[in-house]
Amino acid sequence: MTRLDESARALLEANTQTAELDGKRFRFTVPSVRAYPFQWFWDSCFHAIVWSRFDAERAADELRGLFANQEPDGLIPHVVFWKGDLVSRLQWHHLESRTTGRIPFYRRPHTTAQMQPPVIAQAVERVVDAGAAGFLEDALPYLERYYRYLAAFRDPDGDGLISIVSQFESGLDFSPVYDASIGFRRARPAALLARTRLPQLRNKLANYDVDTIFRRFRHHQEDMLVNAVYGQGLRALARLATQAERDAVARWASRTADDVTAALLERAWDERSKLFVNLAGPDERRAAVKTIHGLIPLVLPDLPPEIVDRVASHLDDPQTFGAPYPVPSVALDEPTFVRDHRLNGFRFIWRGPLSMNTNWLLVHGLRGHGHDEAADRIAARSREVVERGGLNEFYDPLDGRPVGAERFGWATLVADM
Ligand code: GLC
């Protein structure tokens, strides 16, 4: 094991917690013991990928906790709170959960009712490849239900791209890519907070019934990170289904993945900025801010080489994403870019700093397209900032200094670049 592997393993171990559900015990890694003390969906998928390097059984367990909380319609929630003690209950996000009792806001289940980027088939594939006994058969039914839920319930206009109903479903919470869609203009922190909560309040009033939300409201959008990861996940599902001799599932997943790439190219490619752009609302208004979302479709193996080259050219452009410490979450020349999340004294994440999960997606995406040099550069810089500043939630793309929560779970992906 390399030194990086050792510190990754130690951190995932230190952030491990256990919980019980229906008499069964589960173990999982929390993103950060202090800042994020619950189980998050895409964090756990990333943790499982890193766990699979050392301990296939432990990696499988990380995902079993998510499967156990799958809803009847197929959704796997973005946070599982697990604990029901008073302190934890007070922290539970009222606005993100479905109400199960008759009194609104009173009885809350142990999970949110939102999704996060669907990176779970990719994680299952890594765990299966690492040799977790019987895990393919265990995981496949949950995976199939989950991706079928996304295709059936999250694509109201039937164009092949799925929609999120809140920016917090994208995993890139306060990214300025969403500012215009929520009517946020001036840099007032209170306004940003209020405007991001409004769609969640509407969702809550619809009790997170996505059909109702799509019919009644306009705040949903087709997000480029979510859709790129969705397409990549469908390919992984197709390979897993083939391995398990479930040919009908494999065919469905490949066909659906083909549709995702075709729709991204047809509807969301922006030739002028050389990026993919988010499409907001039923009229698909194009986001005008250059953010990391626009590059993530590089994870799709079937992206045409001329498009790959155009997107990747941003990594050599010091005006946009070619930062001293790549890859910033917002292009350096955007007026909304901030190196350390700060907005008039308050902290809003994903408004500039780089994170290891998006770097990891890009490194592997670039390698898949033969852009090894760009991938190696991002990986080397990633290792450098971790060696200097520890395994952190974010880093300043101008000087590489750590930003945000310390001892952060998915930063361990640096060992897997
Ligand atoms: C923040 C991030 C989200 C992550 C969560 C837990 O909300 O934006 O992507 O899953 O923290 O780490």
Side-chain angles (χ1 to χ4, degrees), residues 66 106 119 135 138 167 234 242 257 261 326 348 356 386 391 408:
L66 297 177
Y106 173 61
V119 69
F135 190 58
D138 283 359
Q167 61 197 73
L234 285 162
T242 304
T261 303
F348 289 97
M356 285 305 155
V386 167
L391 292 160
F408 189 79

Side-chain angles (χ1 to χ4, degrees), residues 98 165 203-215:
R98 219 169 253 151
V165 299
N203 292 340
K204 179 79 181 182
L205 293 173
N207 208 19
Y208 278 90
D209 178 70
V210 287
D211 282 345
T212 308
I213 296 169
F214 290 136
R215 230 176 328 104

Side-chain angles (χ1 to χ4, degrees), residues 21-162:
L21 184 70
D22 302 332
K24 267 200 240 144
R25 258 192 119 50
F26 292 90
R27 42 182 190 164
F28 52 91
T29 294
V30 299
S32 143
V33 173
R34 251 192 295 154
Y36 305 101
F38 308 113
Q39 183 173 20
W40 261 263
F41 174 86
W42 78 326
D43 299 74
S44 266
C45 295
F46 293 128
H47 300 159
I49 288 167
V50 182
W51 271 121
S52 74
R53 298 172 63 83
F54 332 114
D55 184 342
E57 276 313 312
R58 175 63 185 84
D61 278 358
E62 188 79 19
L63 301 174
R64 287 195 176 105
L66 297 177
F67 293 146
N69 284 284
Q70 185 168 42
E71 306 230 347
D73 63 5
L75 172 76
I76 303 179
H78 104 292
V79 187
V80 182
F81 298 107
W82 290 108
K83 291 182 210 93
D85 62 283
L86 190 65
V87 179
S88 306
R89 290 182 77 105
L90 288 173
Q91 292 184 60
W92 291 1
H93 294 227
H94 296 253
L95 280 182
E96 295 176 353
S97 295
R98 219 169 253 151
T99 300
T100 52
R102 291 229 309 284
I103 310 169
F105 296 91
Y106 173 61
R107 272 194 59 203
R108 283 161 283 139
H110 285 227
T111 71
T112 60
Q114 301 190 144
M115 62 174 282
Q116 256 194 335
V119 69
I120 195 162
Q122 295 87 320
V124 168
E125 189 174 33
R126 282 291 296 268
V127 178
V128 168
D129 288 350
F135 190 58
L136 174 59
E137 293 303 327
D138 283 359
L140 211 48
Y142 296 104
L143 281 189
E144 187 192 346
R145 270 202 301 278
Y146 178 60
Y147 286 90
R148 286 204 192 260
Y149 158 83
L150 295 174
F153 292 99
R154 289 299 190 125
D155 181 11
D157 59 2
D159 66 354
L161 301 176
I162 56 172

Side-chain angles (χ1 to χ4, degrees), residues 31 36 40 42-43 116 171-173 349-350 357 393 408 410:
Y36 305 101
W40 261 263
W42 78 326
D43 299 74
Q116 256 194 335
L172 306 191
D173 301 12
I349 56 180
W350 294 109
N357 64 336
E393 186 181 10
F408 189 79
W410 78 39

Side-chain angles (χ1 to χ4, degrees), residues 136-394:
L136 174 59
E137 293 303 327
D138 283 359
L140 211 48
Y142 296 104
L143 281 189
E144 187 192 346
R145 270 202 301 278
Y146 178 60
Y147 286 90
R148 286 204 192 260
Y149 158 83
L150 295 174
F153 292 99
R154 289 299 190 125
D155 181 11
D157 59 2
D159 66 354
L161 301 176
I162 56 172
S163 294
I164 52 173
V165 299
S166 146
Q167 61 197 73
F168 301 101
E169 289 197 313
S170 76
L172 306 191
D173 301 12
F174 291 101
S175 168
V177 84
Y178 308 112
D179 287 358
S181 71
I182 54 170
F184 174 69
R185 262 165 253 104
R186 278 172 302 155
R188 294 216 329 267
L192 182 53
L193 206 58
R195 291 206 177 258
T196 53
R197 299 300 158 180
L198 205 61
Q200 286 182 301
L201 187 61
R202 295 199 185 101
N203 292 340
K204 179 79 181 182
L205 293 173
N207 208 19
Y208 278 90
D209 178 70
V210 287
D211 282 345
T212 308
I213 296 169
F214 290 136
R215 230 176 328 104
R216 269 211 231 140
F217 305 124
R218 307 171 53 80
H219 64 256
H220 48 92
Q221 66 179 288
E222 293 169 347
D223 184 270
M224 291 304 110
L225 181 140
V226 168
N227 276 284
V229 162
Y230 171 55
Q232 186 192 32
L234 285 162
R235 297 265 178 234
L237 174 59
R239 287 188 295 271
L240 290 165
T242 304
Q243 204 177 321
E245 296 177 12
R246 301 277 312 278
D247 292 342
V249 179
R251 272 197 307 274
W252 172 80
S254 317
R255 226 185 320 114
T256 312
D258 291 344
D259 293 347
V260 173
T261 303
L264 281 172
L265 289 167
E266 193 187 306
R267 311 175 79 86
W269 170 246
D270 185 56
E271 185 61 44
R272 211 167 45 90
S273 65
K274 297 184 285 183
L275 290 168
F276 289 87
V277 291
N278 271 27
L279 305 172
D283 41 352
E284 306 199 340
R285 293 180 314 278
R286 299 185 142 225
V289 194
K290 301 186 295 297
T291 60
I292 190 88
H293 298 72
L295 292 104
I296 304 291
L298 287 174
V299 302
L300 297 171
D302 52 342
L303 215 58
E306 62 279 12
I307 301 285
V308 170
D309 292 348
R310 286 202 188 63
V311 176
S313 71
H314 281 288
L315 298 167
D316 295 318
D317 182 350
Q319 302 288 312
T320 60
F321 293 95
Y325 294 87
V327 181
S329 48
V330 177
L332 302 181
D333 63 356
E334 286 292 346
T336 44
F337 169 85
V338 281
R339 59 194 293 181
D340 59 359
H341 303 306
R342 279 187 199 284
L343 188 75
N344 284 342
F346 284 79
R347 194 175 146 264
F348 289 97
I349 56 180
W350 294 109
R351 297 181 80 88
L354 69 104
S355 190
M356 285 305 155
N357 64 336
T358 44
N359 274 10
W360 179 86
L361 287 167
L362 290 173
V363 163
H364 290 284
L366 287 161
R367 292 234 167 87
H369 292 291
H371 283 244
D372 290 320
E373 204 198 303
D376 290 345
R377 232 184 311 140
I378 298 170
R381 284 302 210 186
S382 300
R383 284 191 287 271
E384 189 188 323
V385 296
V386 167
E387 263 148 32
R388 249 196 304 138
L391 292 160
N392 233 77
E393 186 181 10
F394 292 99

